[in-house]
Structures are given as C-alpha cells and as structure tokens.
Amino acid sequence: MGIIQNQSIKGSLFIYIGVIIGMLNTAILYPKMLTPSEVGLTGLLLTYSGLYSKFAALGLQSVITRMFSYFRDYENNHNGFVFIMTVVSLIGFVLFVILFLVFKQKIIADNIEKSALLVDYLFYIIPLTFFALMFIVLDDYYKVLYNATIGIYMEEFWMRIFKSVAILLFYFRIIDFPSFIFAFAVAASLPSVILAVKLILIGQLNFKPNLGFISKKLRKELISVGFFGIISSLSGVINVGIDKIMVNHFLGIGKTGVYTIAFFFGTLILIPSRTLTKIASAIIADAWKNEDHETVDRIYSKSSLNLFIISCLLFIGIWGNIHNIFKVLPEAYQSGRFVIFYIALSGVVQMATGVSRKLLYTSKYYALATYFFVFYAVILVITMYIFIPPYGIEGAALATLISTFIYAVLRYVFIYVKFKFQPYDYKYLIIAAITVGTYLLSEALPVLKSFLFDTIMRSLLMTVVFSSLVLLLKVSDEANDIFKRSLNKVLVFIRKDN
C-alpha cells in the first residue's frame, strides 16, 4: 500500500490546489462573467468531447490497464506497446470524425431551438475530442508506468490555471467571447500536449513496432480485452456527461449551465479517489497476473474504508456549508441546491466501494464487469428519462444517485460471491454515526454574518471533531499511521528549531 498511499497523498495535494482554482473559476468567475447559457456552452463542449473521446478510444483504456504488464520492458521500449496505442487511437479518431460528420445535421437540428449557442461553436468538438482522446491514452499509459499523479497535475491544476487566464482575458475585455471560447479550447487541450512532451523527454514514447513479440495467445487476449473494452467504452459514452446532455435536451442550455456549476460542487467528494484508483489499478493488475489474491483483497478493503471516511468528511463539509456556497453564486443558480446534495451523496456511495470497479476490470471476469457497466448505463438513461421531466435538474442528479447505488450493490455482490472479499464491517456504522453527529453539531452553530468567516469556522469545527473521533476510535489503521508520522515530523522540526 506504500506506493498507493504516497501517490494518493501527492495527487490529492495537486487536486486540492486545483480545486481552489476551480472554485475561483466555477463559483466566482464563470457565474459572474458569463450567462448561464455561456456556462452551459463550455460545459457541453467538454462533455461532448469527453463523450466522443471515450468512443474513439476503442477499448484502449481496458487494454492498457489489464495488458501492459505483459509488455512491460523498459530496455526494449515495452515491446512496441506505444505503437499499438497510437494505431488504435488514430483508427478510433478517424471513425469518430466520420460519424460526427454524418450525424452533424441531426445534432444541429436537435439543438437549434433550445441551444443555438452550441450550434454556433459545434466545430470545436472535433479538435477537443482529439486532445481529450490523447489525454485519456497518455494518462492511462503514465498510470501503468506507476505515475498516476502527473495526469491529475495537468488536468486538475494546469488546465484550471489556463482556463482562469482565458476567463480573465475575457473579463478585462482583452478578448471577445468567440476568442474566449478559442482560448478555453486551447486551455483544455494543452495538458495532452504537455503529457506527450514529458513522455518523449523521459524516453517512454517510442513508436517503433514489435509485432513479433505478440504471440498467438497474447494476441487473442488483446483482442478479447479490446472487444469488451469497446463495449465498456460505448457504455462509458452514455455515462460521461449524459446528465448534462439530457438536461440540455429537456431543459435547454441555460439550465445546463446551472447544472454544470452545481455538479462541480457535488463531485468534489470524488477528489481523493482519483489518484488512488489510478495507481491501484496498475498494482491490482500485476497482483492478478501473479495470482496474489491477498494483495487484491487488502487494497479493496483498505481503499473502501479510507475513501468512505474521507468522503463522509467532505460530504458534511459541503452540505454543512451549503448556505455559504449559495451566498457566492448568483440568484440564477439557486435551483442547484439539491443537485449538489444528490451528486455529493452519490459520490459517497461510489467512494465506499473503493477500487471495486478496477478490481473487476483487471480480473478474469472483465467481460462480466463490462456487462455490469452496460447495465448501469441503461439504468442511468432510464432514470434520467423518468426524473428529469418532472423534477428538472434535481431529477438528473437523483437519477445519478439511484443508478450509482444499484451499480455499487451489483459489484459488491458479485465480488463477494466470486472472490469472498468482504470489506465492510461495524466500522462503517461508527463512521456513519460520527458523520451524522458532526453534521448536527455544525448545524447547532449560529450563522455568522461574514460568510467567509462562517465557512472557515464551521469547516474547522467539523474537521477537528470528525477527525478526532476517527482517530480516537481507531477505525482506520492508515489514518492513525499518517497522523502519527505527521506528528513525529512536526515534533522533530520543533526540536531542530529549538
């Protein structure tokens, strides 16, 4: 767990710095400088490009995660694995462009009335999809090289810096709105270019093929994993941003802008899992290859417990300060309150499952894992259709929560039946009780006049109370270990200073 713990801490640090920048962008700059429709446009451009890049990847994410360990050889340029990634990516991108051009008029017809602004800037989707695809592939490649933090650093920190520059240029009237969208697109694309350059500099982006290395058995496995990866990707197309697309379809681009801003706050819950699941998936894949079930079970159990603890703290931190969040946002965004609640709660559910999804995708049951994901995508679409028309943007968030819970239970049952892995025990009830108790204590506090001071004091109280109870009750060995090591470092520093 050492490499997972270290990279998770390092990655989370980058993400939280990025979150501060993201808060500046999402809570202050975008709502105040752009109309809800313009905010909706930026969200939809990223959503569509993210959606199409999943399709264009043609299952590469599954192939990289599961199969790279068979190619790993630093001296021989990983036996031509980069060549395989490149060829598949280019084929996928060409297929996407063809399909996009074929269905372009249909997309325009569907959006011309409710989302005319999207139609005006639709052409940006092709280059944005190329760079999103490039980022997906290179980030996954970095992950299996045991560096899960660099992609997060690029995406969560530098991309947000670049976006801040773009919106500030627009705010000071240095550029007009069309130029802002261009700058926004460049900001979204730069992390992919930087990742590629860094891989070239460290000598890990060699395009020389080595097809002779691929045995008949390995080729069969690659095709099988790739095939089910494609099915998974097609389901992922539905999963990635389908909520924003369907909100846009039913309610228009303005409501999509409101949903986009609220969604950002809700997904803050998932921050700590991003680095952990990336690096853990590479280690789990190696463990499956070596038939080391004990390591897989340990990572599954520890990730579920510790991510649940962190998600509960973040949940009460967000919901306990919900009144302060909406003091910052303009009046037009007030309807997003329960979007934040449902999305944040779905994040807690997802975090409580730890690395279960990666565990299944890297196991011999990757085909069934794909079918589970297809089922999840279908449930998500069905619940969206059921809840969005009567409940609006809150319905989209509620559909996400329901679908996430069903998918989580399905994964848990399957893993327990097939592997007898059981990460859940009485400690989860203790954590839940601590969470409720801490939140109720914060609610008893009077609301201070200064929203900034109120946020700081309320957050500090919840963090201290929650963390102290978790440490005192010793529900997590990792939490106590990190606390002790941090305390020792502080004591050593104080002694040196004296």
Side-chain angles (χ1 to χ4, degrees):
M1 285 291 288
I3 187 172
I4 297 176
Q5 190 180 93
N6 291 336
Q7 289 212 22
S8 294
I9 294 171
K10 184 179 179 181
S12 294
L13 178 62
F14 290 146
I15 292 175
Y16 280 115
I17 295 172
V19 164
I20 296 172
I21 301 168
M23 291 278 282
L24 177 66
N25 289 342
T26 307
I28 299 175
L29 298 180
Y30 279 38
K32 293 187 183 303
M33 300 178 193
L34 302 173
T35 66
S37 294
E38 290 168 344
V39 172
L41 172 65
T42 61
L44 285 171
L45 287 176
L46 293 182
T47 295
Y48 274 112
S49 60
L51 182 152
Y52 294 139
S53 65
K54 286 282 186 181
F55 161 78
L58 295 179
L60 258 181
Q61 287 179 282
S62 298
V63 171
I64 294 170
T65 300
R66 179 172 167 77
M67 301 303 298
F68 180 77
S69 57
Y70 294 91
F71 288 80
R72 193 190 306 275
D73 187 336
Y74 287 88
E75 292 183 2
N76 293 314
N77 298 311
H78 305 302
N79 296 298
F81 194 81
V82 172
F83 173 77
I84 296 172
M85 292 192 317
T86 305
V87 170
V88 175
S89 299
L90 289 175
I91 292 171
F93 181 70
V94 170
L95 287 174
F96 149 70
V97 172
I98 293 171
L99 289 172
F100 179 78
L101 294 176
V102 168
F103 290 102
K104 181 181 176 183
Q105 291 306 316
K106 178 69 168 62
I107 297 172
I108 291 173
D110 288 344
N111 288 280
I112 194 67
E113 290 187 11
K114 291 182 179 178
S115 308
L117 195 60
L118 175 62
V119 174
D120 293 338
Y121 294 92
L122 197 63
F123 59 90
Y124 274 104
I125 290 177
I126 291 179
L128 281 172
T129 297
F130 175 81
F131 287 105
L133 171 62
M134 185 175 168
F135 185 86
I136 286 173
V137 174
L138 296 182
D139 186 35
D140 264 33
Y141 181 48
Y142 252 118
K143 175 189 69 181
V144 294
L145 293 176
Y146 298 125
N147 187 343
T149 60
I150 184 142
I152 291 171
Y153 183 48
M154 290 294 108
E155 187 174 34
E156 302 293 340
F157 180 76
W158 280 112
M159 185 189 292
R160 285 173 173 163
I161 289 286
F162 299 147
K163 287 179 182 177
S164 296
V165 172
I167 192 66
L168 287 172
L169 288 173
F170 176 66
Y171 174 71
F172 288 110
R173 302 183 184 280
I174 298 172
I175 58 176
D176 57 10
F177 184 73
S179 298
F180 161 71
I181 294 298
F182 175 79
F184 178 86
V186 171
S189 305
L190 277 175
S192 307
V193 178
I194 297 172
L195 279 185
V197 170
K198 290 181 77 66
L199 280 167
I200 292 171
L201 291 176
I202 63 174
Q204 293 297 316
L205 205 61
N206 190 304
F207 298 98
K208 183 179 179 181
N210 186 9
L211 299 180
F213 172 79
I214 304 175
S215 65
K216 185 177 180 180
K217 181 181 178 182
L218 184 58
R219 182 169 62 251
K220 183 179 179 181
E221 185 76 3
L222 280 169
I223 293 171
S224 177
V225 172
F227 172 75
F228 286 103
I230 290 172
I231 297 175
S232 178
S233 294
L234 292 175
S235 303
V237 164
I238 297 174
N239 181 44
V240 176
I242 189 63
D243 48 357
K244 294 184 183 72
I245 292 169
M246 292 186 72
V247 167
N248 179 57
H249 172 74
F250 283 111
L251 308 173
I253 198 169
K255 286 294 185 181
T256 306
V258 176
Y259 183 85
T260 298
I261 297 297
F263 186 84
F264 167 80
F265 288 100
T267 53
L268 293 177
I269 296 286
L270 296 172
I271 287 172
S273 69
R274 293 176 187 171
T275 311
L276 186 146
T277 52
K278 279 187 177 182
I279 190 61
S281 61
I283 295 173
I284 291 171
D286 287 343
W288 281 131
K289 178 188 172 185
N290 298 323
E291 298 185 358
D292 184 3
H293 288 202
E294 184 180 342
T295 294
V296 178
D297 186 18
R298 185 171 66 252
I299 294 173
Y300 177 38
S301 296
K302 290 182 181 295
S303 65
S304 298
L305 178 65
N306 290 297
L307 288 178
F308 181 62
I309 292 172
I310 296 169
S311 66
C312 285
L313 176 59
L314 291 175
F315 179 80
I316 58 175
I318 292 169
W319 195 243
N321 283 294
I322 194 69
H323 57 291
N324 290 321
I325 291 174
F326 283 96
K327 283 181 181 177
V328 178
L329 294 174
E331 184 67 28
Y333 294 88
Q334 297 299 312
S335 60
R337 178 179 294 263
F338 277 94
V339 171
I340 295 175
F341 178 80
Y342 292 132
I343 295 298
L345 197 56
S346 69
V348 174
V349 172
Q350 190 172 328
M351 292 272 277
T353 65
V355 296
S356 63
R357 186 163 175 254
K358 297 296 184 182
L359 184 158
L360 283 178
Y361 272 106
T362 53
S363 75
K364 63 182 179 180
Y365 296 106
Y366 60 85
L368 277 172
T370 300
Y371 296 142
F372 289 161
F373 193 54
V374 171
F375 175 75
Y376 164 65
V378 171
I379 293 295
L380 184 61
V381 171
I382 291 172
T383 52
M384 289 279 178
Y385 268 102
I386 292 171
F387 290 111
I388 292 178
Y391 301 114
I393 58 175
E394 290 182 6
L398 180 58
T400 300
L401 172 59
I402 293 170
S403 305
T404 300
F405 180 77
I406 293 171
Y407 184 39
V409 172
L410 183 63
R411 292 200 312 272
Y412 162 73
V413 171
F414 182 81
I415 290 172
Y416 179 72
V417 170
K418 289 295 181 182
F419 304 112
K420 303 303 177 187
F421 295 163
Q422 165 58 285
Y424 306 113
D425 55 21
Y426 70 94
K427 291 180 180 178
Y428 287 79
L429 296 176
I430 295 174
I431 297 163
I434 293 172
T435 303
V436 173
T438 305
Y439 172 73
L440 292 176
L441 179 63
S442 74
E443 284 295 286
L445 292 177
V447 177
L448 304 176
K449 290 184 179 179
S450 168
F451 86 91
L452 182 59
F453 190 60
D454 184 80
T455 301
I456 293 171
M457 295 305 296
R458 201 172 293 273
S459 301
L460 186 62
L461 172 72
M462 287 189 285
T463 301
V464 170
V465 172
F466 183 94
S467 302
S468 298
L469 289 172
V470 167
L471 292 171
L472 288 171
L473 295 174
K474 298 181 179 179
V475 292
S476 167
D477 294 335
E478 286 70 36
N480 284 80
D481 179 58
I482 292 172
F483 175 75
K484 287 177 183 177
R485 283 192 286 129
S486 301
L487 183 61
N488 287 335
K489 287 180 181 180
V490 171
L491 292 174
V492 169
F493 177 79
I494 292 173
R495 292 189 189 113
K496 284 183 179 180
D497 195 48
N498 291 332

